[in-house]
Structure formats: structure tokens, C-alpha cells
Amino acid sequence: MSRSVLIFVAVALLLPSLSLAKCVAPVKVEPVIHQGVRYIAPNDDGRRAYIEARDVQTNKKLWDLTIFTNRIDPTLEEDVQWVFIKALNIRDGALVVTSERDKIYRVDLKTKTVTQSGLTKRDEKDCIFVPPVNGRI
């Protein structure tokens, strides 16, 4: 009887520590190839989401570019704040990068400039509509 009570107490005390939030490993992003260059998202740093451009034939790294960075709140567990790239695509000669939070970034491959598109579906859910009062906001 006392042994089963001891096991029950041990399990009850250890159970909360097993349920602490941990970041899941980032998804493997399939590289895309455009005009002899392979674009990859290494997803090896949760603070900085970046892409690498590599020559398809030699695999030589041509350049890398930060797409977005994550501000880390020091009062929270760091790894649950990381955001990674989840998809790469080529559209109209530009590299389209999608984050795990469904934000879309467009990389001009000639100038290497990054622009973020407008609101995502997730952002729209978080928006609060404030109707104008007497034509004013």
C-alpha cells in the first residue's frame, strides 16, 4: 500500500515538469532552384530566419540574407519564441518566403531587398475593428 502511494506521489510531482512547453523542431523546407541558383532555408537559428543562395553545380555559397529576426523576451523561455521559415517558392522571378506564423516575405533576387506583404489571415483575426465616430477614427 505505501509503495503505491509513494509511486503516485512521485508521478504527481514529476508530471508537471513533463508538460512544460518545448519548441518543436522546425519543418524541413524544400529548396527551390531558379536560374542555376539553389535557395535554401537552413532553419538553424530561431532568432534569425535567413536564406542561402548556392550555385547548383558547385554548391558554393553565393550569399545569405536575413529575412526576419525574432525579438526574444528574456522573461520567457527562449525556444518557444523562435519562428522559422516554413516554405520557399519562386513567383514572378522573386523568392517568396513564408514564416511559421504565415507571414509572407518577398525577396527581389536582383537587389536582395526583402519586403513583407500585407496582413495575413492570422493577423486579420487579431485585428480589432474600431468604427469611426463622426467620420473620424
Side-chain angles (χ1 to χ4, degrees), residues 24-72:
V24 188
V27 296
K28 174 152 177 29
V29 179
E30 290 300 316
V32 295
I33 297 173
H34 179 67
Q35 297 181 345
V37 179
R38 178 183 301 111
Y39 299 96
I40 63 171
N43 276 347
D44 59 0
D45 182 358
R47 292 174 169 254
R48 171 183 172 242
Y50 68 100
I51 57 165
E52 290 182 354
R54 294 185 171 268
D55 184 278
V56 171
Q57 293 181 346
T58 65
N59 202 33
K60 178 185 175 191
K61 182 174 162 182
L62 304 172
W63 49 267
D64 67 42
L65 180 67
T66 299
I67 305 301
F68 60 89
T69 57
N70 299 306
R71 291 187 189 148
I72 302 298

